[in-house]
Amino acid sequence: MKVAIRVDASSQIGTGHIMRCLVLAKKLIERGHEVVLLSRPLTGNLIDYCKTQGVDVISLKTIQETFLPDAGDYRHWLGVTQEADANECLAALEAFQPDWIAMDHYALDREWQDLMRTSGTRIFTIDDLANREHKCDVLLDHNPWPDFENRYHQVVSKECTQLLGPKFGLLRPRFSELRQQPPALKNVVLAFFSGTDPSGECIKLLNASRHFDSLPFRLHVVHGLANPRRDEIASLPLPEFVTLSENLPDYEAELAACRYAFGGAGVSAIERASLGVPGTLVSVAENQRQMAEHLGASGLYRYLGVSDKTTEHDYANELKWLAEHWKTLPYRLEKSDIDGNGAQRVVEVMESLCPTEPNNQMIFRPMTTEDLPMVRGWRNDPGVREMMFTQHEISAEEHERWFAKASTDATKQFFIAHAEGTPVGMVSFTEIERQSNTAEWGFYKSPEAPSGTGFTLLFEALHLGFDKLRLEGIRSRVLCSNPKVLYLHHKLGFSKERDMQTLITAEGDKDYFAFFLSREDWNGNTAS
């Protein structure tokens, strides 16, 4: 695939949009796709930084910037009309011919998307606001908003694939690694308020630190690559317990090792939640206020307030509270389902909607709420139900409750299989154990799927589990009364783990066999 991403960074916009688009771009490149960013050289831009990260950038025309309070209206961020921006982007992309055009910009909406769609490309939107209409094929909002499942129903069509919630968080791969192998904790409080820190939170916190002769921890403040106050910050006389950095080469490892953190409520809050770091939130932008209030009300984080209202004394009081409670603070929050693999899930959706394989190949995409009526129809077919451990007919309400819970569980992943553009089955990987990197799989095909689909579905699902999810082993349980699937497991190389077992359920005893297939055995089977 070829993917173009329209995104800006500036002292007014901040750096968060660019940083999460870089995560997406790198994951696309890692999987063999071509990527180019389109960005304007605004004050505080990160165009050169993106190039150092190995991502191509098309620099759009320089404009006269307008600096106004956002107050929920971000149109001045663009500096030109949406039509002018779209026409410039279309001209710049004429030779590239993208399959996808992605946008991460609060000043763009359906008007821009309709113009870009004239090139015949698919449209991918990254948003946080849900405050304007979008005409796109996929919409991503990875924030843990309250009731996030219903947040965009009024602004996108029913045909739009919505990737909502922190399960799709665009986090750098390092977060997944550090969740599995966390470092030893340091007696450090880490503070980072965004790459630009527009409201001067770093200075407020640093001045607050000067109220104390000592604190029971080191305070490490990272002021950011594009902070317009960097010279003022560098000139401040600071206590000996304060460390100051512009940027950290391995910020993720430092965050994973700190005892506590100060920061905004944007993507940095998702990063901290992924690692279970307790902390104090500040709403450093208007679009973060609702999120910060929601997270503060949850009891998991302390909420200091909106950045244009916070003062040096607020930070001094927070440092005093921290010092008084330092010995009793939790070292880590309860582990969340933000596993750091969101970018992988996002790219797999893009791939499934823009297949590069021949049409006769089977393609998998993550299951969404829009699939529930179709999947429930398959699941309730008598021929499918009688081969399941739970065999009653499932109601729409029961199915929705199940998926609402299961889809937020990091130990479960569900996929829809497509053959020649048509959905033909569902595959699940559940009970995912990260220590052993194994999972139990489940599956059923559409009753309307053609003969032979079952074996192809299972064979390609093993490729999905071993090659894309990088599992080391797949477990399975098959009812003794299901001879066709028992045969398929033998044909695919599974080993029967033990003699027949019995599962006692409310619907009666179910006799079954347990199977296991390792990556090593699978590789040997496919090679032979």
Side-chain angles (χ1 to χ4, degrees):
M1 295 188 305
K2 292 183 177 182
V3 182
I5 304 175
R6 175 71 181 94
V7 61
D8 285 331
S10 73
S11 55
Q12 181 169 220
I13 295 172
T15 60
H17 299 272
I18 281 278
M19 298 309 286
R20 65 186 179 187
C21 284
L22 276 177
V23 173
L24 177 59
K26 289 182 177 182
K27 179 56 69 173
L28 285 161
I29 293 169
E30 175 189 310
R31 292 173 68 88
H33 306 300
E34 296 181 56
V35 181
V36 63
L37 304 188
L38 298 99
S39 193
R40 290 201 185 277
L42 306 173
T43 303
N45 72 80
L46 294 180
I47 291 174
D48 289 340
Y49 175 76
C50 292
K51 292 177 180 178
T52 67
Q53 297 299 301
V55 180
D56 291 334
V57 183
I58 295 175
S59 183
L60 301 176
K61 295 176 183 176
T62 303
I63 60 167
Q64 184 68 41
E65 297 177 60
T66 303
F67 294 90
L68 296 171
D70 296 332
D73 185 353
Y74 303 92
R75 287 175 293 182
H76 59 282
W77 280 12
L78 199 58
V80 297
T81 66
Q82 293 195 60
E83 181 180 8
D85 192 276
N87 288 336
E88 186 178 354
C89 290
L90 287 170
L93 293 171
E94 189 171 354
F96 186 67
Q97 294 290 304
D99 300 295
W100 283 97
I101 293 178
M103 52 156 276
D104 185 353
H105 209 300
Y106 294 165
L108 300 177
D109 57 27
R110 177 172 182 162
E111 179 185 351
W112 187 90
Q113 294 157 350
D114 280 338
L115 290 166
M116 299 306 292
R117 195 181 288 276
T118 61
S119 66
T121 188
R122 297 166 180 82
I123 303 296
F124 183 99
T125 296
I126 302 174
D127 192 28
D128 310 294
L129 304 178
N131 67 343
R132 61 207 190 281
E133 189 177 1
H134 293 291
K135 183 67 177 294
C136 53
D137 299 279
V138 176
L139 182 138
L140 166 66
D141 182 341
H142 62 191
N143 297 290
W145 300 105
D147 193 32
F148 63 79
E149 298 92 343
N150 302 310
R151 185 170 167 79
Y152 286 88
H153 282 182
Q154 301 301 315
V155 297
V156 298
S157 69
K158 291 182 179 179
E159 290 74 30
C160 175
T161 298
Q162 299 180 45
L163 308 180
L164 305 178
K167 179 179 180 178
F168 297 100
L170 295 178
L171 302 185
R172 295 177 291 281
R174 193 82 169 97
F175 285 95
S176 177
E177 296 168 7
L178 290 164
R179 275 173 63 95
Q180 297 178 48
Q181 295 183 317
L185 294 184
K186 300 178 182 178
N187 192 47
V188 170
V189 172
L190 187 65
F192 176 63
F193 298 99
S194 84
T196 57
D197 187 20
S199 54
E201 301 308 297
C202 286
I203 288 179
K204 297 174 191 176
L205 177 57
L206 291 170
N207 282 330
S209 72
R210 297 163 65 190
H211 292 215
F212 301 88
D213 294 327
S214 65
L215 286 171
F217 48 79
R218 289 203 63 79
L219 177 62
H220 191 168
V221 179
V222 183
H223 61 76
L225 289 167
N227 195 314
R229 301 176 178 84
R230 65 169 68 85
D231 293 339
E232 182 182 356
I233 290 171
S235 67
L236 288 174
L238 299 174
E240 63 84 25
F241 56 81
V242 173
T243 301
L244 191 62
S245 299
E246 179 183 62
N247 188 39
L248 293 176
D250 196 352
Y251 169 77
E252 297 91 339
E254 294 298 325
L255 180 63
C258 76
R259 276 279 314 274
Y260 196 88
F262 282 88
V267 68
S268 60
I270 300 175
E271 293 172 348
R272 294 192 295 275
S274 174
L275 298 173
V277 180
T280 296
L281 297 172
V282 179
S283 176
V284 299
E286 173 60 28
N287 63 290
Q288 292 185 9
R289 181 179 55 79
Q290 183 186 359
M291 176 63 63
E293 291 172 352
H294 168 62
L295 293 174
S298 72
L300 294 175
Y301 300 94
R302 290 173 62 81
Y303 178 42
L304 206 59
V306 181
S307 60
D308 60 4
K309 298 287 197 312
T310 57
T311 67
E312 169 187 328
H313 296 288
D314 293 325
Y315 281 101
N317 288 335
E318 194 68 4
L319 289 173
K320 180 182 177 184
W321 182 91
L322 267 179
E324 291 171 349
H325 295 83
W326 190 244
K327 292 184 178 179
T328 58
L329 281 174
Y331 282 76
R332 278 294 173 267
L333 301 177
E334 186 175 337
K335 202 164 190 177
S336 75
D337 59 359
I338 308 172
D339 60 7
N341 296 316
Q344 174 95 1
R345 298 187 181 102
V346 171
V347 171
E348 287 173 356
V349 171
M350 297 175 74
E351 291 172 338
S352 71
L353 296 176
C354 182
T356 55
E357 296 89 350
N359 285 339
N360 62 349
Q361 293 293 310
M362 194 164 284
I363 297 166
F364 295 87
R365 63 169 176 81
M367 179 176 164
T368 71
T369 54
E370 306 299 325
D371 298 313
L372 288 179
M374 174 182 69
V375 172
R376 187 170 69 89
W378 297 345
R379 171 61 178 77
N380 281 339
D381 182 83
V384 173
R385 277 194 292 125
E386 67 183 10
M387 298 304 173
M388 306 293 286
F389 283 92
T390 304
Q391 297 177 350
H392 69 275
E393 188 163 347
I394 296 174
S395 68
E397 294 77 11
E398 181 183 358
H399 205 220
E400 289 167 5
R401 286 196 305 272
W402 162 78
F403 190 68
K405 182 178 180 181
S407 62
T408 59
D409 187 342
T411 69
K412 297 178 171 63
Q413 294 195 41
F414 303 87
F415 299 89
I416 301 298
H418 287 248
E420 298 186 5
T422 301
V424 294
M426 190 278 289
V427 173
S428 65
F429 294 93
T430 60
E431 308 302 325
I432 299 173
E433 297 177 4
R434 290 303 176 192
Q435 190 168 4
S436 62
N437 217 16
T438 61
E440 179 171 324
W441 75 342
F443 44 82
Y444 41 85
K445 68 182 182 71
S446 163
E448 289 77 36
S451 176
T453 298
F455 178 77
T456 304
L457 175 67
L458 271 61
F459 184 83
E460 296 295 339
L462 290 176
H463 274 298
L464 173 67
F466 289 122
D467 298 342
K468 292 190 176 181
L469 303 184
R470 309 304 299 168
L471 295 173
E472 292 300 324
I474 294 176
R475 304 182 301 278
S476 185
R477 292 180 298 163
V478 184
L479 292 179
C480 296
S481 57
N482 195 351
K484 288 184 179 179
V485 175
L486 288 170
Y487 168 74
L488 287 177
H489 276 67
H490 288 297
K491 187 175 180 180
L492 289 165
F494 279 79
S495 298
K496 191 183 295 183
E497 290 198 291
R498 54 178 75 106
D499 293 334
M500 184 184 73
Q501 301 176 66
T502 301
L503 180 69
I504 301 173
T505 75
E507 298 178 7
D509 296 350
K510 303 290 192 301
D511 295 332
Y512 69 95
F513 289 109
F515 293 87
F516 183 80
L517 179 63
S518 69
R519 172 194 289 276
E520 182 178 359
D521 288 341
W522 165 248
N523 288 337
N525 291 338
T526 54
S528 60

